[in-house]
Amino acid sequence: MAEESSASTRRRLTPFNVIAGIIVIIGLYVTVRRFTSGLSSVTHLSNSYPWGLWIAFDLLVGVALAAGGYVTSAAVYIFGMKRYHAAVRPAILTGFLGYALVVLALNYDVGRPWRLPYPFVISRGTTSLLFEVAACVALYLTVLFVEFSPAAMEWLGLKKARNLVVKLTMALTILGVILSTLHQSSLGALFLIAPSKLHPLWYSPYIHVYFFVTSTIAGLSMVIFEGSLSHHYFKDKMDAEHLAAKTDLMLGFGKAAAWVLAGYFVIKVIGIAADNNWHYLATGYGAWYLVELLGFVALPAMTYAIGVREKNTTIIRWSAVWAVLGIVVNRFNVCLVAFNWYLPAEERYFPHWMEVAISVFVVTLGLLAFRFIVTRMPILYAHPDYETH
Amino acid sequence: METIHTLQQFMLHTKNIIYILIVLALAAMPAFWCFLTGRDEE
C-alpha cells in the first residue's frame, strides 16, 4: 500500500507538474498582492501607459490566438469542409479556454471583479468601442461555452441535453463568426482614438482590418500548433480519425494561412503607401517595422507555401510557431513598443516582474485546464455512444 | 520628389503609388497561388 502511494506520488511529480505548481504559487501570491495593495504594488503602469503587458499579451494576444475556434467551426460547418471535423473540438476548447482566461486576466487590470457586469446593467456606454468589445467577448465566451458543452455532456452522460445543444451547432457557428468579426476588429479600432500616440507606421485608419485579418492567421496557425502539441503529448487519447486527419489538416490550414499572410502583406504595403509613410522606413522604428513585416509576415507566408508545396509537415509546424510569434510581436508593437514612441527612454514602459508572473500564471492555468479536460472528455476522440455532428 | 503642399497633391501622389502596387499585387498573387497549389494534383 505504501509502495503504491509512493509510486503514485512519483507519477505526479513530473517536471511539468513541479514547474506548474511553482508558477501557480507565485501567481496566487501576486494575485493577493494585486487585489489588496493595488496596481502600483505589482505593475509599472502609469498615466502614459495605462495599458501594459496584461492588455498587450493577456487580452490582445489572447483573443487573437483564441480565434482558432471560429476559424475551424466556420470552415467545417459553414463552408462544409468536413474533412477537418476532427479539429473542431480541440479548436473550440482552445478558444473557450483562451477567452475564459482573457476575462480572468482582464480582472487583474480592471480590478473590482464584481463590477464586471456594470457595462451591461449600470453604466451602458453604447457609443464606446470598449462597450462593443465587452459585449462581444461576453457573448462569444457564452457561445464558446455552449459549443464546448456537448463534450462535457457526453462525459457526464447527459444524452438528451447533449442532443439538444448539438442541434444548435449551425446557429452557434454563425453567431460565433459574427461576434468574432466584430470584436477582433474592434480591438484594433480601439487604437483609432490615439493617432498621435501610435507610431505612424503602425497607426492606420484601417487598423481594425489588420487586426481582423491577423486574427484569422493566428487562428489557423494556432490550430496547427495546438494540433501538433496534442499529437505529441496526447497521442494515446486520439482515435483513428484524429490521427489520420493530422496531415490533411496541416496541409489545408497551412495553405489557407499562407494565402491570408500573403494578402495581409499586400494590404500592409498599401497601408504604408496610403499614408505616404515610406520615409519612416529609414528610421530605427522603420527597421523594426520591416522586421515585423518581412520576418513575421512575408517569411512565414513563404515557408508555409514551401511546406504545403513539398507536403512537409515539419516546415508547416515551424511556420505556425513563427506566425504565432509574429502575432505576439504585432500586438506588442501596437500596444507597447510603438505606443508613446516619442517619449524619452526613461519614461517608457517596461513590465514589472509581477506583471510577467501573472501572464505566465494565466497561461499555466490554461495549460492545466486543457490537460484536465483533454484527459477526461471526448475532445481528441469521438465518444462511441454518440454520433458525430 | 516634388514637395507636397496640398491635399490634392497628397492624394494624387499616394493614389498613384497605390495603383502601381495594386497592379503588382494582381500579378504577384496569382503567381503565389500557382506556387502554393502547383503540386496539389501529385
Side-chain angles (χ1 to χ4, degrees):
Chain A
M1 190 71 184
E3 273 179 25
E4 269 179 34
S5 166
S6 157
S8 166
T9 310
R10 270 201 304 276
R11 273 201 303 277
R12 284 172 198 278
L13 280 177
T14 60
F16 174 80
N17 285 353
V18 172
I19 294 168
I22 293 167
I23 292 169
V24 168
I25 290 167
I26 294 171
L28 290 174
Y29 163 72
V30 180
T31 302
V32 171
R33 199 160 158 176
R34 187 267 170 260
F35 285 104
T36 53
S37 307
L39 281 172
S40 61
S41 65
V42 293
T43 73
H44 282 162
L45 296 175
S46 63
N47 286 336
S48 298
Y49 285 96
W51 286 354
L53 183 72
W54 293 341
I55 295 297
F57 182 76
D58 300 16
L59 196 137
L60 294 182
V61 173
V63 167
L65 297 186
Y70 88 86
V71 170
T72 312
S73 54
V76 173
Y77 297 122
I78 296 178
F79 299 116
M81 299 174 180
K82 298 290 182 191
R83 62 186 183 279
Y84 303 131
H85 186 267
V88 172
R89 279 198 176 175
I92 294 286
L93 174 62
T94 312
F96 171 58
L97 291 176
Y99 274 87
L101 295 171
V102 161
V103 174
L104 174 73
L106 196 59
N107 282 303
Y108 284 87
D109 197 76
V110 179
R112 294 197 269 186
W114 57 92
R115 287 199 168 190
L116 212 60
Y118 269 36
F120 308 112
V121 291
I122 304 287
S123 176
R124 289 175 291 276
T126 49
T127 54
S128 165
L129 269 170
L130 271 177
F131 175 81
E132 197 240 319
V133 171
C136 283
V137 169
L139 285 169
Y140 188 46
L141 180 59
T142 312
V143 166
L144 280 169
F145 174 72
V146 180
E147 280 187 303
F148 158 74
S149 64
M153 289 169 180
E154 287 173 14
W155 179 54
L156 295 168
L158 304 170
K159 204 164 189 174
K160 279 186 183 171
R162 181 266 183 198
N163 290 340
L164 185 72
V165 175
V166 161
K167 286 180 184 152
L168 301 172
T169 300
M170 181 55 93
L172 289 169
T173 304
I174 293 169
L175 199 56
V177 171
I178 293 170
L179 292 170
S180 295
T181 310
L182 286 168
H183 74 266
Q184 292 282 0
S185 54
S186 297
L187 284 173
L190 290 174
F191 293 90
L192 287 174
I193 205 170
S196 59
K197 292 194 174 195
L198 195 56
H199 190 281
L201 281 171
W202 280 273
Y203 177 83
S204 164
Y206 304 106
I207 193 169
H208 48 288
V209 179
Y210 297 160
F211 264 59
F212 176 67
V213 175
T214 47
S215 82
T216 61
I217 297 165
L220 292 161
S221 301
M222 266 307 280
V223 170
I224 296 172
F225 178 56
E226 174 269 317
S228 302
L229 289 181
S230 295
H231 202 265
H232 186 76
Y233 291 105
F234 301 111
K235 198 172 182 179
D236 57 316
K237 301 283 172 199
M238 291 184 164
D239 61 10
E241 189 202 350
H242 282 75
L243 289 169
K246 185 196 164 203
T247 308
D248 200 22
L249 177 85
M250 288 179 94
L251 291 174
F253 276 45
K255 187 191 285 181
W259 188 239
V260 181
L261 274 162
Y264 178 63
F265 180 80
V266 170
I267 60 171
K268 285 289 274 186
V269 175
I270 290 173
I272 301 172
D275 292 331
N276 200 26
N277 283 333
W278 299 105
H279 58 288
Y280 286 110
L281 293 178
T283 64
Y285 274 99
W288 181 234
Y289 185 82
L290 287 174
V291 168
E292 184 191 318
L293 190 62
L294 300 175
F296 291 99
V297 180
L299 182 66
M302 278 314 296
T303 54
Y304 261 133
I306 293 166
V308 170
R309 199 176 151 83
E310 304 293 332
K311 297 188 175 29
N312 186 329
T313 53
T314 308
I315 297 178
I316 296 174
R317 195 180 309 129
W318 282 108
S319 302
V321 174
W322 199 245
V324 165
L325 200 60
I327 300 299
V328 178
V329 169
N330 173 258
R331 298 304 193 257
F332 270 50
N333 281 343
V334 170
C335 195
L336 302 176
V337 179
F339 200 78
N340 286 334
W341 58 286
Y342 45 81
L343 285 182
E346 62 272 16
E347 288 178 39
R348 298 300 304 269
Y349 165 83
F350 192 81
H352 194 287
W353 73 265
M354 291 200 211
E355 288 178 79
V356 180
I358 286 298
S359 293
V360 175
F361 170 61
V362 168
V363 172
T364 307
L365 287 183
L367 290 174
L368 290 172
F370 187 85
R371 186 179 69 172
F372 178 86
I373 294 169
V374 160
T375 50
R376 285 163 179 81
M377 300 180 196
I379 302 293
L380 300 173
Y381 63 91
H383 197 295
D385 297 346
Y386 298 87
E387 269 183 45
T388 52
H389 57 96
Chain B
M1 193 185 77
E2 207 177 309
T3 315
I4 296 170
H5 294 291
T6 65
L7 181 63
Q8 157 71 14
Q9 287 172 324
F10 178 82
M11 296 304 285
L12 186 67
H13 176 71
T14 53
K15 291 278 180 192
N16 281 342
I17 294 173
I18 288 172
Y19 278 118
I20 294 166
L21 289 173
I22 292 284
V23 171
L24 290 175
L26 286 173
M29 290 300 277
F32 185 70
W33 180 253
C34 289
F35 177 76
L36 192 60
T37 59
R39 293 189 185 166
D40 275 6
E41 300 305 312
E42 290 170 23

